[in-house]
Every structure is written in structure tokens, then in C-alpha cells.
Amino acid sequence: MHTTITCDTITNHQLEALAEHGYTIIDNYLPPPMIAALQQQAIRLRDAGIMHQASIGKDETNRIISEVRGDSIYWLDDAGQTPEQTDYLHTMQALQEQLNHCFFLGLFEFECHFAVYDPGAVYLKHLDQFKGQQERQITAVLYLNDDWQQDDGGALRLYLNESENAVFVDIAPLGGRLALFLSGRFYHEVLPAQRTRISLTGWFRTRSLESR
Ligand code: OGA
Ligand code: MN
């Protein structure tokens, strides 16, 4: 039976980590049954062929997109199409209020998509703010993988220093883990995995200039 989750925001300690370091990793953010349900929904969408090849930013290079970014994605609509999706969006709305309260970011909306990376697929080093589009303020990635092992690869590599490639943290995509980081600060990439890698990836956004 579906139950509404109560764990809807993050602790002060986690907020402080976000303020101090610009990122924070929260394990077991949501109960395992909810993670399992969201994972199944992502797989079902993929198997039904309604996900599409993700694209990249505005200033496209001539590279084949799948070499830069190999995931298939499906955008959630505002209401969510299942109780778990709706719950997740409510949880993120509560988190948005908490973030606004603490950081005065003026976050206005949350957008998110399921992402499925087949084995070997990557997303090369990038920033989540595109040129001329700074609305994305905070990236929130919820991982939906069962029993992920170190050997499975697929880490999110977060570069801590813009000018230094050697300084990074690797974050394994463990089911139930939520990674939060400042979208405009950290270059990051998704390393190839041995297994299918599933996530629900989103962004807290400020209002775009056009719609102000
Ligand atoms: C993205 C992204 C990271 C991840 O979709 O922009 O960087 O760990 N995802 O899935
Ligand atoms: Mn990204």
C-alpha cells in the first residue's frame, strides 16, 4: 500500500554542509519501497520506448551527442503521474522552501527527469548552467539503483576546483542517495557503469528573465 512519506526535508547539518562546501550527499533520503517504485517506473518508461535520447545545452559542438551524453530521459510533469512521483515532487517543494528560507536563493520551481544510462554510457564533464541560462541553481540527483557495488562504476565525479582536474569526489549512485550541489559552481561528469544506471535528476530554478 502506498503511504505518504514524512521525511520531507534535510537536516540543519546537511544544510550547513551545502552552505559550506556547495554540495552535500544524503544517504537513505527516501524509504526503500519508494525508491523501488520509482526505479520500476523508470524501467517501464524505458521499456515502453517513451524515453528519448537526452540533448546537451545550447552551444552544440559537432560531436555526436551520445558520445557526450548517453542517457535516455523522461521529464516528469508538474503533478507527477504516479503517487510516488507526486510524493517526490511534494518533497522537493518542501526542500525548495527550506532552501529559500536558509539561502535566500529565490528558487521558484523544480524540474526533473528520469535518466537511464545503459552500460558504458557516460555524460562527459559539464556544468548544469548553460551559457545565457542561469536559472538552474541547485542540482538534485536521486539515485534509484539496487545493491550498487563499487565495481559497478557509474560514479558522479564532482570536480571541486574549476581549474584543477585532479581534485574531485566520486559519488556512487547508491539507491536512495540524494546528491545536492550548486549547479553553477561544479563541473561534473557521469562515469561509465557496468550496469544500467538509473536516477531522477532535477534542478531548483529561479524564474527565467523572460517570464519575470
Ligand atoms: C545531469 C547529470 C548526474 C548524475 O543529468 O546533468 O549531471 O549523477 N547527472 O546522474
Ligand atoms: Mn549535470
Side-chain angles (χ1 to χ4, degrees):
M1 205 188 80
H2 177 74
T3 49
T4 304
I5 43 153
T6 49
C7 148
D8 56 1
T9 50
I10 64 178
T11 66
N12 283 337
H13 181 72
Q14 289 154 348
L15 276 174
E16 280 162 21
L18 185 58
E20 191 181 334
H21 308 294
Y23 74 95
T24 187
I25 310 302
I26 304 163
D27 285 333
N28 306 309
Y29 185 60
L30 295 171
M34 176 146 165
I35 298 298
L38 290 169
Q39 182 207 91
Q40 278 167 21
Q41 289 159 28
I43 292 294
R44 221 172 291 140
L45 290 164
R46 197 270 312 262
D47 291 349
I50 32 188
M51 286 203 165
H52 59 87
Q53 159 79 57
S55 63
I56 38 170
K58 283 213 147 167
D59 47 338
E60 303 269 331
T61 62
N62 291 326
R63 293 172 101 155
I64 298 164
I65 289 173
S66 62
E67 283 178 12
V68 176
R69 173 168 191 189
D71 55 330
S72 297
I73 65 170
Y74 180 90
W75 287 98
L76 265 59
D77 60 32
D78 288 348
Q81 288 171 353
T82 65
E84 292 81 11
Q85 291 172 22
T86 304
D87 255 11
Y88 187 63
L89 293 168
H90 285 153
T91 301
M92 290 298 106
Q93 204 174 339
L95 179 54
Q96 177 177 301
E97 282 161 28
Q98 194 184 9
L99 292 168
N100 275 337
H101 186 76
C102 297
F103 298 130
F104 308 102
L105 283 170
L107 302 174
F108 168 74
E109 61 190 353
F110 181 73
E111 58 178 6
C112 68
H113 60 59
F114 284 117
V116 176
Y117 290 75
D118 286 333
V122 296
Y123 192 164
L124 298 183
K125 191 174 174 188
H126 67 281
L127 202 59
D128 283 349
Q129 284 186 355
F130 305 129
K131 278 204 189 71
Q133 287 183 293
Q134 270 82 49
E135 294 88 3
R136 289 177 171 180
Q137 296 295 316
I138 296 186
T139 304
V141 192
L142 178 70
Y143 296 106
L144 303 175
N145 305 296
D146 288 335
D147 194 28
W148 197 267
Q149 304 296 316
Q150 204 66 33
D151 293 355
D152 292 330
L156 164 63
R157 178 164 289 179
L158 202 61
Y159 293 92
L160 301 182
N161 184 333
E162 204 171 320
S163 57
E164 177 58 82
N165 250 336
V167 188
F168 56 75
V169 286
D170 280 352
I171 299 157
L174 306 183
R177 172 173 277 181
L178 181 72
L180 293 173
F181 60 91
L182 299 181
S183 308
R185 175 161 348 154
F186 298 102
Y187 277 88
H188 56 282
E189 70 179 302
V190 177
L191 302 178
Q194 312 284 342
R195 294 169 47 187
T196 301
R197 178 193 192 273
I198 310 166
S199 63
L200 188 45
T201 300
W203 296 271
F204 292 101
R205 295 165 53 100
T206 51
R207 204 184 287 255
S208 69
L209 286 172
E210 309 93 78
S211 59
R212 256 178 203 158

